[in-house]
Amino acid sequence: MIQLIAFYLFATIVIASAAMVIFARNPVHSVMWLILAFFNAAGLMLLAGAEFIAMLLVIVYVGAVAVLFLFVVMMLDIDFAELRAGFVRYLPLGALVAIILAAELVFAVGAWSAGGIDLAARAAPVVSDKSNIQQIGELLYTRYIFLFEAAGIVLLVAMIGAIVLTHRQRGGVRGQNISQQVRRRPEDATRLVDPGVGQGMEL
Amino acid sequence: MTEFFQSLGMSYEWAWGVATICGILLIALPLMLAVAMIIYADRKIWAAIALRRGPNVVGPFGLLQSFADGLKVFLQETIIPSSANRGLFLIAPIITFTVALMAWAVIPFNSGAVLADINVGLLYILAISSLGVYGVILSGWSSNSKYPFFSALRASAQMISYEVSIGFILIGVVLWADSFNLNEIVKAQQGHGLGFVNAFGFNLLLFPLAVMFLISALAETARAPFDLTEAESELVAGYQTEYSSMSFALFWLGEYANVLLMCTLNAVLFWGGWLPPVDWAPLYAVPGIIWLFAKILFFFFVFSWVKATVPRYRYDQLMRLGWKIFLPISLFWVFLISGYLMLTRYS
């Protein structure tokens, strides 16, 4: 009963906020609706018993990816008139995409109701006494270890690529060398002298 | 608690609902009271270090100062700047406040005294604290004013930077405790240091993590010396500049609730949580919640002490500390701890 109410609550909010991502006029509002959709999708994951995936969804997508989205969108100079002018131009393309998606949905529902797919594949995951994290870890580091490592290398290459593309040497930057500052002792910097009267000081 | 309400003749669903709401109120209401008193304590400690008197007019020793301040902001008019983005401007403080309360759901106050005893407790805290950025960033943007916007950009960059190293520090603790559940982490600390001290902090491998976590906690909650987000000499009052009345009070409460949460995490992750400091049977007669509160208050004292004595960092120094020092060290420590555990525990 509680699960059912929670499911319909989360599902309704996901769909409604996903629609609002498109319908919101202001791009910043769009990003906020997107975050709400992510958050409620994490709630759906929790209901499916995948608490580890749900938490990762919130940490990675809500905590990092969406913040970057928000940064970029806030910096944009948005001209609403121009945005609306493009609407008619892109309408045929948009309509085409919409028709393809709708057709796919109809086919998917038709194929599903016709049966023929192995029912065991759709069955609920086997409940075991191990926690979510242990199960994922065991699978990821044994059976899928090469795929996991390959994904890591792809990310590393992407990271190095981004650094190479944006890195440039700038001249005339006066950086702060903190270890040098910390190493500096009073004796290196100050000098105590006792000049005689009328002799003056050599600087 | 659910069983108790079921014994009163409720169905399971109703009993669960009522028990959860009671649990939330049992945490949230004392927390608000604690925040009011902790603001007073913060001001008193700060004043004592600066050789001033601090609040001493309202009530005995000024104890009611925070309540007087609360009443004052409650009676003020809520001013919304005409060029502000109304909806987001009003939602932002609510997000900050709610998020600050939400994380308390998984904090163990005693053995088994947890609102939500989930086995991904620490990940939940990370997830919720990453939400805290939105309250700040939205308030800065929706104010449509330049100082709040600068402050919001600074604050979000700062929070994201330090979240990375906090994540790695937490992984070290999780590896050692072999669980993400906060209660299990506390239990794993029993007799950990030298066979009788109930703290991970007495482990030579984990002590550097405890120090880094304390400093990262200061940065994550934007306390001095990392309070660049509200550097009053440059940014007026930071992202809260345009706020008044209750919307300002929500930021205030949320900020201090976050500070208390970080103190609690310090106590729970590294210094034994609700366990007494030493594994000695008579000390277990004192309820665990008192040990936990004593540790929280100690860490809050450290936070105020730092605030009163350390000058503010410059922004590039802050970023350097986060990305060039804490991140490599904490990443290296993950390798070190997992290597050590592979050699000793799992070989």
Side-chain angles (χ1 to χ4, degrees):
Chain A
M1 180 62 186
I2 299 170
Q3 284 96 328
L4 211 62
I5 295 173
F7 171 78
Y8 280 111
L9 184 73
F10 288 141
T12 319
I13 297 178
V14 169
I15 293 173
S17 52
M20 286 307 292
V21 175
I22 307 166
F23 290 126
R25 285 271 168 90
N26 192 326
V28 174
H29 292 180
S30 286
V31 178
M32 292 318 292
W33 287 113
L34 187 66
I35 292 162
L36 192 63
F38 282 151
F39 203 64
N40 284 283
L44 286 177
M45 297 273 187
L46 274 185
L47 286 181
E51 70 262 20
F52 182 63
I53 306 278
M55 290 305 148
L56 280 197
L57 185 72
V58 175
I59 293 173
V60 175
Y61 281 93
V62 179
V65 174
V67 175
L68 288 183
F69 269 21
L70 206 56
F71 260 26
V72 172
V73 166
M74 279 178 180
M75 301 293 183
L76 288 177
D77 182 26
I78 302 143
D79 188 355
F80 289 105
E82 200 180 329
L83 278 181
R84 248 169 265 148
F87 183 74
V88 182
R89 236 180 78 210
Y90 293 116
L91 191 61
L93 189 65
L96 187 69
V97 172
I99 288 169
I100 291 173
L101 278 180
E104 275 183 345
L105 265 181
V106 169
F107 275 126
V109 171
W112 183 76
S113 57
I117 308 167
D118 187 15
L119 276 175
R122 275 198 268 136
V126 186
V127 181
S128 85
D129 52 340
K130 280 181 186 163
S131 78
N132 228 284
I133 304 172
Q134 274 176 320
Q135 285 176 337
I136 290 176
E138 272 170 19
L139 215 57
L140 204 60
Y141 294 115
T142 55
R143 196 162 153 195
Y144 297 113
I145 180 71
F146 290 112
L147 291 174
F148 179 72
E149 295 278 326
I153 290 171
V154 168
L155 282 175
L156 183 68
V157 169
M159 196 174 86
I160 294 173
I163 293 172
V164 167
L165 283 176
T166 53
H167 187 71
R168 65 197 159 94
Q169 214 76 44
R170 279 182 301 174
V173 179
R174 297 173 66 194
Q176 183 184 21
N177 188 344
I178 291 195
S179 69
Q180 197 183 10
Q181 287 180 352
V182 172
R183 261 186 283 122
R184 199 164 123 126
R185 296 272 84 96
E187 302 87 64
D188 309 333
T190 56
R191 187 160 58 101
L192 213 59
V193 287
D194 189 14
V197 176
Q199 283 180 341
M201 268 294 299
E202 193 185 331
L203 287 172
Chain B
M1 212 191 280
T2 311
E3 288 80 39
F4 169 73
F5 284 109
Q6 262 179 308
S7 70
L8 293 183
M10 294 183 187
S11 70
Y12 176 75
E13 279 85 5
W14 277 105
W16 177 84
V18 174
T20 310
I21 290 171
C22 286
I24 292 171
L25 289 180
L26 266 178
I27 293 176
L29 295 181
L31 180 65
M32 284 300 99
L33 192 66
V35 164
M37 292 324 289
I38 222 87
I39 291 172
Y40 165 78
D42 196 22
R43 294 173 67 177
K44 270 291 190 195
I45 294 167
W46 198 4
I49 292 176
L51 296 178
R52 291 181 285 111
R53 279 177 178 276
N56 64 350
V57 175
V58 190
F61 309 107
L63 273 169
L64 300 176
Q65 181 65 47
S66 301
F67 300 101
D69 289 346
L71 191 67
K72 184 195 77 178
V73 290
F74 186 69
L75 295 176
Q76 274 175 344
E77 182 193 354
T78 307
I79 299 168
I80 302 175
S82 56
S83 60
N85 195 315
R86 271 187 87 90
L88 291 181
F89 185 81
L90 289 175
I91 287 175
I94 298 175
I95 292 178
T96 305
F97 181 69
T98 319
V99 163
L101 288 186
M102 271 167 80
W104 287 86
V106 293
I107 299 289
F109 291 99
N110 203 342
S111 173
V114 193
L115 179 60
D117 198 12
I118 54 179
N119 55 14
V120 286
L122 213 48
L123 282 177
Y124 172 82
I125 286 187
L126 268 183
I128 294 302
S129 69
S130 68
L131 281 179
V133 178
Y134 288 107
V136 175
I137 212 174
L138 282 182
S139 61
W141 181 79
S142 64
S143 297
N144 211 347
S145 163
K146 64 185 157 198
Y147 293 130
F149 190 57
F150 283 148
S151 162
L153 290 183
R154 277 186 183 186
S156 38
Q158 175 178 342
M159 285 165 117
I160 292 170
S161 309
Y162 279 86
E163 238 156 52
V164 180
S165 53
I166 283 186
F168 283 124
I169 292 167
L170 296 187
I171 290 292
V173 178
V174 166
L175 282 172
W176 211 289
D178 204 18
S179 172
F180 272 101
N181 183 311
L182 286 167
N183 233 332
E184 297 294 319
I185 291 175
V186 172
K187 279 176 190 156
Q189 301 183 36
Q190 189 158 13
H192 186 78
L194 307 172
F196 66 95
V197 185
N198 293 331
F200 271 159
F202 272 82
N203 183 327
L204 277 183
L205 268 177
L206 289 172
F207 179 71
L209 290 185
V211 174
M212 283 201 290
F213 187 73
L214 184 65
I215 300 172
S216 302
L218 286 173
E220 180 72 12
T221 51
R223 290 276 292 189
F226 306 109
D227 59 343
L228 289 155
T229 54
E230 38 202 298
E232 63 276 357
S233 49
E234 317 157 23
L235 295 178
V236 191
Y239 54 87
Q240 315 161 345
T241 305
E242 306 289 349
Y243 282 87
S244 60
S245 171
M246 277 315 278
S247 50
F248 172 72
L250 286 181
F251 273 123
W252 211 24
L253 293 172
E255 202 174 287
Y256 274 89
N258 262 331
V259 170
L260 275 184
L261 179 75
M262 280 297 169
C263 298
T264 313
L265 280 183
N266 262 305
V268 165
L269 294 177
F270 292 101
W271 305 101
W274 42 262
L275 291 168
V278 182
D279 197 16
W280 184 46
L283 289 179
Y284 286 93
V286 181
I289 196 163
I290 291 183
W291 289 118
L292 181 67
F293 282 1
K295 288 169 187 174
I296 296 173
L297 291 179
F298 171 75
F299 279 105
F300 186 77
F301 176 72
V302 173
F303 270 50
S304 312
W305 187 9
V306 169
K307 178 181 178 175
T309 45
V310 182
R312 188 178 290 139
Y313 260 49
R314 220 169 50 211
Y315 200 70
D316 62 313
Q317 292 170 330
L318 170 90
M319 283 294 158
R320 179 183 164 274
L321 186 68
W323 289 105
K324 290 186 177 171
I325 298 178
F326 280 5
L327 183 62
I329 293 180
S330 56
L331 193 55
F332 175 69
W333 235 259
V334 171
F335 285 101
L336 198 68
I337 287 177
S338 38
Y340 179 80
L341 288 179
M342 279 309 280
L343 275 177
T344 55
R345 195 188 289 174
Y346 297 110
S347 62

